[in-house]
Amino acid sequence: MKTTLVFGASLNPNRYSNLSITKLRAKQIETKAFGLKVGDVSGVQISSSLEDFQNIHTITLYLNEKRQKEYYEQIIQLKPKRVIFNPGTENPEFYTLLRNNEIRVEVACTLVLLATDQY
């Protein structure tokens, strides 16, 4: 099973990252979550440490461009097959770094991809 890491996960049910976790789980996609605050969303434990993750296929990003910089190397080291840049997370500098490391970049909305069976 291809595992998705929700990067920038929130415990706030009004945040899109939270909704994405719920929708990914509803589609029976193996889901992991990384965020600043630990907790549980739809049976998925949010971790505040990236050391807990391996064999990640997709990272769906919910951090703005400025906040992403501190995680560039850590995301690349996870060796995902693709990174989805959700609305508000667009970052051409990071696209280049990812592509240079043979990681596919997708500028899209995870919720729309899931709703239209394009995930």
Side-chain angles (χ1 to χ4, degrees):
M1 172 69 65
K2 296 176 179 175
T3 302
T4 294
L5 174 60
V6 177
F7 202 100
S10 173
L11 294 170
N12 181 340
N14 297 318
R15 304 295 294 191
Y16 289 119
S17 62
N18 187 294
L19 186 55
S20 287
I21 293 169
T22 301
K23 298 288 185 182
L24 286 160
R25 296 286 296 135
K27 293 274 189 179
Q28 299 180 358
I29 295 168
E30 187 174 342
T31 306
K32 307 286 183 187
F34 169 79
L36 295 177
K37 295 181 182 176
V38 298
D40 182 273
V41 175
S42 298
V44 175
Q45 185 66 31
I46 298 174
S47 175
S48 62
S49 171
L50 287 171
E51 295 173 10
D52 299 336
F53 304 112
Q54 53 187 324
N55 300 318
I56 300 297
H57 180 275
T58 298
I59 292 176
T60 182
L61 204 51
Y62 289 95
L63 288 181
N64 68 41
E65 181 178 0
K66 194 181 293 185
R67 298 274 327 278
Q68 292 169 27
K69 288 184 185 284
E70 67 184 280
Y71 297 105
Y72 284 178
E73 285 305 313
Q74 292 169 292
I75 289 172
I76 290 167
Q77 287 174 6
L78 287 171
K79 298 182 183 350
K81 299 293 182 215
R82 71 174 172 168
V83 175
I84 299 172
F85 287 81
N86 287 281
T89 67
E90 298 87 353
N91 184 347
E93 176 183 75
F94 198 17
Y95 303 164
T96 300
L97 289 172
L98 291 168
R99 288 178 178 134
N100 288 344
N101 284 276
E102 300 178 9
I103 298 169
R104 194 169 93 225
V105 170
E106 198 166 335
V107 181
C109 176
T110 295
L111 294 172
V112 170
L113 293 173
L114 289 166
T116 58
D117 292 324
Q118 297 180 65
Y119 192 82

